Amino acid sequence: MTSSELWTRETAERYDAEEAESSSDAALGPTLDFLAALAGDGRALEFAIGTGRVGVPLRERGVPVVGIELSEHMAAVLRRKTDADTLPVVIGDMATTVVPGEFRLVYLVYNTITNLLTQDEQVACFRNAARHLAPGGRFVIELGVPPLRFLPPGQLAVPFDVSERHLGFDTFDLVEQVLVSHHLTRDDDGRYRRGNSRHRYAWPAELDLMARIAGLEPERRVADWDGTPFTQDSTKHVSVWRKPL
């Protein structure tokens, strides 16, 4: 078991509703285009597949997808959408769980590598991706750039969402390189529900070093799934590493 926090049944049941905007056809289209192009006619493996927000529609595009998921509750929600023959899911952690066969593509989206709370586990995740890739295959990560530029001296919190139904802010431990995302979410009855989650943030250059340790080579880094160039002002990146032939 890695240090990832385990998603509960209650959280899993709410997940799709809370992520409806990011799951729309308009929002997911560029993601699916990007991943399908890399997979080609090969198989894809999604680390931390969750409820299948990306994996299910990618499979519907004709890409054979297999998933690894730590939370049985999240996998149970996915299983309502498609059967195990169509999209197999192995219960386990993304840093060490091994599934049969080789893959053209391994991908990890939506900041999920930060659920691994130590650098050693994040390195192990890269090594696990490399273990599953066929020669010439790609590992893709979508990850936010740590927003430390927004931290003036003496401040430890950065808001990331202030809307009618949700207040979100991150607090930082700059020594341990860990942030805690805090959420206040207003339910339909008007009451607020509080939650938080811990993450180990990592810089793009640090991920490149992890990839090198795993025997992968950097191929591409863009600011989003549409391919916008990555700059010093980008708030996130989509990075691609390749397993040598």
Side-chain angles (χ1 to χ4, degrees), residues 22-225:
S22 65
S23 303
S24 67
D25 291 342
L28 272 184
T31 306
L32 301 176
D33 290 343
F34 193 106
L35 296 175
L38 290 180
D41 58 359
R43 303 166 73 213
L45 173 62
E46 181 171 356
F47 284 176
I49 194 169
T51 66
R53 183 182 69 91
V54 174
V56 169
L58 186 62
R59 181 66 185 91
E60 291 171 350
R61 288 199 175 198
V63 177
V65 176
V66 177
I68 294 175
E69 174 53 45
L70 184 61
S71 169
E72 294 185 26
H73 301 300
M74 295 288 277
V77 175
L78 180 152
R79 191 53 65 223
R80 299 172 197 160
K81 304 173 184 177
T82 186
D83 61 68
D85 291 332
T86 302
L87 203 166
V89 176
V90 176
I91 301 300
D93 71 81
M94 58 187 166
T96 62
T97 300
V98 177
V99 302
E102 289 187 325
F103 296 83
R104 182 74 59 81
L105 172 68
V106 178
Y107 65 95
L108 180 55
V109 299
Y110 217 39
N111 302 321
T112 310
I113 194 171
T114 66
N115 290 355
L116 299 170
L117 297 178
T118 70
Q119 187 181 68
D120 285 345
E121 288 177 349
Q122 291 179 354
V123 170
C125 182
F126 271 82
R127 284 178 165 153
N128 201 29
R131 179 184 297 121
H132 285 92
L133 285 172
R138 275 87 169 189
F139 182 35
V140 178
I141 284 181
E142 176 190 23
L143 184 60
V145 176
L148 301 190
R149 295 172 69 185
F150 294 102
L151 276 177
Q155 180 173 312
L156 294 178
V158 172
F160 60 84
D161 184 35
V162 180
S163 57
E164 184 179 353
R165 297 184 66 92
H166 180 254
L167 300 174
F169 59 93
D170 293 328
T171 55
F172 293 83
D173 183 331
L174 301 180
V175 175
E176 297 297 328
Q177 207 164 304
V178 169
L179 68 84
V180 179
S181 290
H182 303 264
H183 303 269
L184 287 171
T185 305
R186 185 167 64 85
D187 290 327
D188 291 338
D189 61 7
R191 293 185 296 180
Y192 277 86
R193 172 170 33 89
R194 182 174 181 176
N196 61 70
S197 58
R198 299 178 71 226
H199 306 268
R200 182 188 185 271
Y201 62 85
W203 300 95
E206 185 181 5
L207 298 183
D208 286 341
L209 183 56
M210 294 180 188
R212 182 184 301 179
I213 291 170
L216 303 176
E217 301 173 345
E219 182 175 82
R220 186 183 183 196
R221 173 166 291 129
V222 290
D224 54 38
W225 297 106

